[in-house]
Amino acid sequence: MTLVVKFAAGAAALAMLGAAPAAWAVKPPGPTIIDWTLSDGTFDDGGTFSGTFTYNALSDTITSWHVTTTAFVDAGGDVVGGGFVPETYSSPGGCFFIFCSSASDNGSGPTFETGIVFAPATFNLTNIVMGAPGTVAVLTGNEGGFAFPVGPISHDVTGGTAMGVAGVPEPAAWALMILGFGGVGAMLRRRQAAGAVA
């Protein structure tokens, strides 16, 4: 192979690498998709929570979620009593009229929001490393805001567990694995053929 051909091949390879998406260069180690399950969650007012969410480590987004909480809401004023009111945080994200739903990474776990645009209910978990599958034995966090149509809520997480498992690889990951195995097979065949001729 001449020097010109080697130089052209190297330049072509560099051009292809330069055209690759930036996300390829910063892909975190480990699985891309992690499915999380929240169970046995409790709040300091006796409320509970449970649910599931899926985290995409490549894009640092929560792609789907369904989390249900219950909060004790005081009847207020001179009225005796109150009761537990359910709040559901569910995908897909976005807004319909003035009601919105979203989920994001708060830097130390997931944050879920739902409700009226100007006064949403927000549920934060603050000790889940979402990009690493595993189990968190005791959760921490809080829920606050406005539970529509009942009223304001505010309570802290006192317990619960979270378990994350690696999801099924995406089709692009499967394609790269198959291409890699094919390349290794081709190299082995080529070596065997070269050894037989010599």
Side-chain angles (χ1 to χ4, degrees):
M1 190 181 282
T2 68
L3 185 60
V4 173
V5 173
K6 287 181 182 178
F7 180 76
L14 283 175
M16 288 176 17
L17 285 174
W24 289 2
V26 294
K27 183 182 182 307
T32 302
I33 303 295
I34 301 169
D35 297 318
W36 285 93
T37 301
L38 307 173
S39 58
D40 303 322
T42 57
F43 291 107
D44 58 1
D45 63 0
T48 61
F49 67 90
S50 63
T52 61
F53 67 94
T54 301
Y55 176 71
N56 184 327
L58 187 61
S59 62
D60 189 28
T61 57
I62 298 172
T63 56
S64 65
W65 62 96
H66 186 84
V67 177
T68 302
T69 67
T70 58
F72 185 80
V73 176
D74 192 353
D78 295 331
V79 180
V80 176
F84 287 96
V85 177
E87 188 71 53
T88 301
Y89 302 87
S90 186
S91 55
C95 293
F96 176 73
F97 191 52
I98 62 170
F99 297 97
C100 294
S101 175
S102 68
S104 61
D105 180 359
N106 64 31
S108 57
T111 293
F112 306 100
E113 284 190 349
T114 192
I116 300 174
V117 173
F118 53 85
T122 303
F123 178 40
N124 297 296
L125 292 172
T126 57
N127 64 333
I128 298 177
V129 180
M130 293 192 301
T135 301
V136 179
V138 179
L139 294 172
T140 60
N142 58 59
E143 183 180 37
F146 189 83
F148 183 80
V150 179
I153 56 173
S154 178
H155 50 187
D156 293 325
V157 172
T158 57
T161 59
M163 183 168 42
V165 295
V168 176
E170 297 177 11
W174 281 109
L176 283 174
M177 286 190 293
I178 291 170
L179 187 64
F181 287 132
V184 168
M187 291 300 292
L188 289 174
R189 268 185 89 116
R190 186 172 180 183
R191 280 189 183 167
Q192 288 176 350
V197 172

